[in-house]
Amino acid sequence: MKKDREKDSKQPTFVARGVARIALSVRAKLLTAFLGVTCLLVGLALFGLFSLHKANVRTEAMIQDQERIAFFNDTYISLSNIIAYTLAIYPSLESEVAPKDQGFFRVPTGLVYNRTVDLERDLAVGARRFGQTGMPDEKTIAELRADIQSIKPITLEIRRLGAEMKYREAAEYGIAQAFEPLQAMQREAYTVVQHIEHEMRSRARTTTQAYLTSRQNIVAAALIAIGVALLLGYSISSSLLWPIQRIRVALGRLSKGGFDERVDVPNRDELGELAYHVNQTSQKLGELYEQVEAQKTQLADWNAVLETRVAEQVEEIERTNRLKRYLPAQVATMIVGASDGEDVLRTRRAEITVLFADLRGFTAFATAATPDQVIDVLNTFHGTCGPLVEACGGTLERFLGDGLMVLFGAPVPVENAAQRAVDLAQDMQGRVREAMASYKAGADERGLGLGIGIATGAATMGQIGFENRLDYSAIGPAPNLAARLCEIAKDGQTLISHATAWQVKSEMMPAGPFNLKGVGSSIAAFELITCAEGV
């Protein structure tokens, strides 16, 4: 009693009282807090995406700068080649004779013109990429194109003189007419490259600083979001927990005969209404106290008998319901043997191996077969696979019509989970093929086969369902990958994931890569070499 008074004497904070006085329902307050936290998270995500976008823009700009540098470097080299080829035409002083259409250094005089045409074409391509209106290199590229147009007739004349074997005249004409313009173009290209490299260095420094600033901003925004979320959570929880605590204390005193107990809370929501009903109940119980005392002894005897019967019935009902809710034998054993099945099958995350198996050709068979044949096939399939699953220590998570899902390592940990799954797949391929051999339907005698997918990895295990029916299931990357591998597995084929393959010693061969829905493209897998294939 003293402990209850000490707890009851604690007063809520100013924030809790303020939230409690808001005339909103508990659901509305919780929804407001949830939406507030969600908005903070969305805002934080948008801020992060904006920062990433800015970084991506800077990166794209640096990539474009590199492409611009490469373009002007190529232009510089092309100009150097034109100058070199022009100089190479010049014959030696001792000899005026050279092969037809070639200078002293055996450089075709037409090559000068060809390189000029190539450079003109490259500049045209560069104009489309970097010289559009508003681009930084618009003016430079336009000037280079104009210069190369003026040099093109000169190189054409050089080629003509070379064709007439007038190499000295061709060389002197080229040096006199084209040397200085070509050098000027070289200097222009070199200057642009230097300018772009300077811009890149400046942009790199800016990008580094922007990254540091963005990281600081994101960290600050995250801290602010966490602080606001904690404040919302604290204010909402305090405004709810404090009245609940007072009501709990009042009910505790009421249960001990304190019918004069009254609850005073400032809430204008369901908790305030609950406190009002508690006060009314206390008052009514006080009025009926004398009548209750007169029948106390008789009610005590009845309660003792009733509690015993109820406890026995509840225990029996709980055990029965546990067996109805959990179908796998391992799960049922754990529930019946445990004092609290909910704790035994608590939600947890662990590495398991998952096997999915599915009949191939069942849809076509079911279309052509009679209903009795369809049901008979399914019963034969599950009757064949069920004992194999139990024998290898797997947990038959569920039947999926013409397929099934088996867990290894959940809910009971097992050794060599991956190897057990592979061994089960070997047995199922052989046994199911024998069991399904006699089932055929349709004019084309459609038969049935089996495709299996196995994956090892992380999964979340827990209870899924509603109060009157719960299933123990596994959700996560491993079940998803096993299901996708099963979908693409052909008749008689067993596909296993890379993680499973590393843990088993069975014969296998590479398969894939596959593009699996919900998993990704270029997923490598292995095909298990079954006994049938080995024979």
Side-chain angles (χ1 to χ4, degrees):
M1 199 72 173
K2 181 179 179 181
K3 185 177 181 181
D4 288 341
R5 288 195 185 98
E6 290 177 352
K7 290 183 178 180
D8 190 35
S9 63
K10 295 181 180 178
Q11 296 298 321
T13 62
F14 173 78
V15 175
R17 283 183 174 273
V19 174
R21 291 191 175 94
I22 297 176
L24 291 175
S25 64
V26 173
R27 176 181 295 180
K29 292 178 181 179
L30 293 175
L31 181 60
T32 300
F34 173 76
L35 291 177
V37 174
T38 301
C39 291
L40 288 172
L41 294 176
V42 171
L44 182 60
L46 292 176
F47 181 73
L49 290 175
F50 176 72
S51 299
L52 290 175
H53 172 71
K54 291 176 65 177
N56 185 54
V57 170
R58 295 190 186 93
T59 302
E60 290 178 352
M62 294 180 68
I63 293 174
Q64 188 175 22
D65 287 344
Q66 291 177 344
E67 294 175 350
R68 291 167 60 199
I69 290 174
F71 167 73
F72 283 106
N73 279 334
D74 291 342
T75 301
Y76 182 88
I77 293 172
S78 297
L79 290 169
S80 299
N81 289 336
I82 294 173
I83 294 174
Y85 293 152
T86 302
L87 294 174
I89 297 173
Y90 206 97
S92 68
L93 297 175
E94 291 79 12
S95 176
E96 291 290 342
V97 181
K100 185 179 179 180
D101 198 29
Q102 293 188 8
F104 178 73
F105 292 99
R106 306 188 68 82
V107 175
T109 56
L111 192 60
V112 177
Y113 176 76
N114 293 338
R115 289 294 179 265
T116 305
V117 173
D118 293 342
L119 178 57
E120 182 184 22
R121 183 181 63 252
D122 293 342
L123 288 174
V125 175
R128 288 194 296 270
R129 295 184 61 189
F130 310 112
Q132 299 293 331
T133 303
M135 291 186 175
D137 302 321
E138 174 189 2
K139 182 178 179 181
T140 302
I141 295 177
E143 292 176 354
L144 290 174
R145 294 186 69 186
D147 292 339
I148 202 66
Q149 286 290 340
S150 63
I151 293 174
K152 186 177 179 182
I154 300 174
T155 58
L156 183 61
E157 179 64 17
I158 293 174
R159 186 178 69 171
R160 186 189 68 78
L161 292 173
E164 297 175 0
M165 301 183 68
K166 298 177 181 180
Y167 303 114
R168 184 179 299 278
E169 294 180 13
E172 291 176 350
Y173 179 78
I175 293 172
Q177 298 295 327
F179 193 74
E180 290 186 0
L182 288 171
Q183 283 189 326
M185 292 176 67
Q186 273 189 314
R187 287 192 296 271
E188 182 67 19
Y190 179 79
T191 302
V192 172
V193 170
Q194 295 299 313
H195 177 70
I196 296 174
E197 289 179 346
H198 176 74
E199 289 181 347
M200 281 189 61
R201 287 191 292 269
S202 176
R203 186 174 284 111
R205 290 191 295 270
T206 304
T207 300
T208 302
Q209 184 60 39
Y211 165 75
L212 296 175
T213 303
S214 298
R215 185 175 65 179
Q216 293 174 355
N217 292 338
I218 291 174
V219 171
L223 292 177
I224 293 173
I226 292 173
V228 174
L230 291 176
L231 179 61
L232 285 174
Y234 171 75
S235 59
I236 295 296
S237 61
S238 297
S239 67
L240 299 179
L241 293 177
W242 178 76
I244 291 175
Q245 176 66 13
R246 297 205 66 179
I247 294 173
R248 186 191 70 81
V249 172
L251 289 175
R253 294 174 181 173
L254 185 61
S255 66
K256 297 176 182 178
F259 301 116
D260 58 343
E261 182 67 24
R262 299 293 183 267
V263 182
D264 181 19
V265 297
N267 291 58
R268 299 172 63 186
D269 49 28
E270 291 88 343
L271 293 177
E273 183 179 356
L274 178 61
Y276 170 78
H277 289 304
V278 169
N279 293 336
Q280 291 295 105
T281 302
S282 179
Q283 180 180 351
K284 294 295 183 181
L285 288 176
E287 296 173 356
L288 298 174
Y289 179 71
E290 292 183 359
Q291 298 179 20
V292 173
E293 284 293 320
Q295 301 174 356
K296 183 175 181 180
T297 303
Q298 185 178 4
L299 289 175
D301 295 337
W302 289 354
N303 285 336
V305 175
L306 182 61
E307 286 177 0
T308 301
R309 292 180 178 178
V310 168
E312 294 174 353
Q313 293 178 358
V314 167
E315 183 179 359
E316 184 66 25
I317 291 173
E318 287 180 351
R319 291 181 178 273
T320 303
N321 288 338
R322 287 172 182 172
L323 294 176
K324 290 180 179 179
R325 292 174 182 174
Y326 304 97
L327 298 181
Q330 295 91 332
V331 178
T333 302
M334 292 176 64
I335 294 175
V336 173
S339 59
D340 188 354
E342 298 298 326
D343 290 338
V344 171
L345 300 179
R346 65 187 183 277
T347 301
R348 65 187 180 90
R349 188 172 180 84
E351 180 172 314
I352 62 172
T353 298
V354 185
L355 180 147
F356 271 88
D358 187 75
L359 284 176
R360 292 293 177 263
F362 181 79
T363 301
F365 175 85
T367 303
T370 64
D372 291 340
Q373 288 177 317
V374 174
I375 297 300
D376 190 31
V377 164
L378 292 177
N379 288 334
T380 301
F381 169 62
H382 295 309
T384 301
C385 297
L388 297 178
V389 174
E390 294 179 355
C392 69
T395 299
L396 184 57
E397 196 270 348
R398 70 182 71 174
F399 289 114
L400 304 171
D402 60 337
L404 52 84
M405 174 180 176
V406 183
L407 307 179
F408 292 86
V412 181
V414 297
E415 295 182 358
N416 301 323
Q419 188 65 53
R420 289 172 183 254
V422 170
D423 293 341
L424 174 61
Q426 291 274 24
D427 294 339
M428 288 175 61
Q429 289 286 10
R431 297 287 184 87
V432 171
R433 184 177 296 277
E434 294 176 1
M436 298 291 109
S438 60
Y439 291 101
K440 295 181 179 179
D444 55 353
E445 294 294 319
R446 296 186 181 91
L448 299 171
L450 186 65
I452 299 176
I454 303 174
T456 300
T460 300
M461 283 77 70
Q463 303 171 71
I464 300 175
F466 65 101
E467 181 179 2
N468 294 327
R469 175 58 190 268
L470 297 173
D471 284 332
Y472 184 81
S473 182
I475 302 172
N480 186 35
L481 179 56
R484 297 308 180 195
L485 292 175
C486 178
E487 289 177 0
I488 63 174
K490 299 178 181 178
D491 177 17
Q493 189 178 38
T494 300
L495 296 179
I496 64 178
S497 69
H498 189 273
T500 305
W502 276 100
Q503 301 183 31
V504 300
K505 298 180 179 180
S506 303
E507 294 186 18
M508 64 191 75
M509 60 183 178
F514 300 107
N515 186 2
L516 303 180
K517 179 180 179 182
V519 179
S521 59
S522 300
I523 300 300
F526 291 86
E527 180 180 355
L528 189 65
I529 300 177
T530 62
C531 296
E533 292 176 345
V535 177

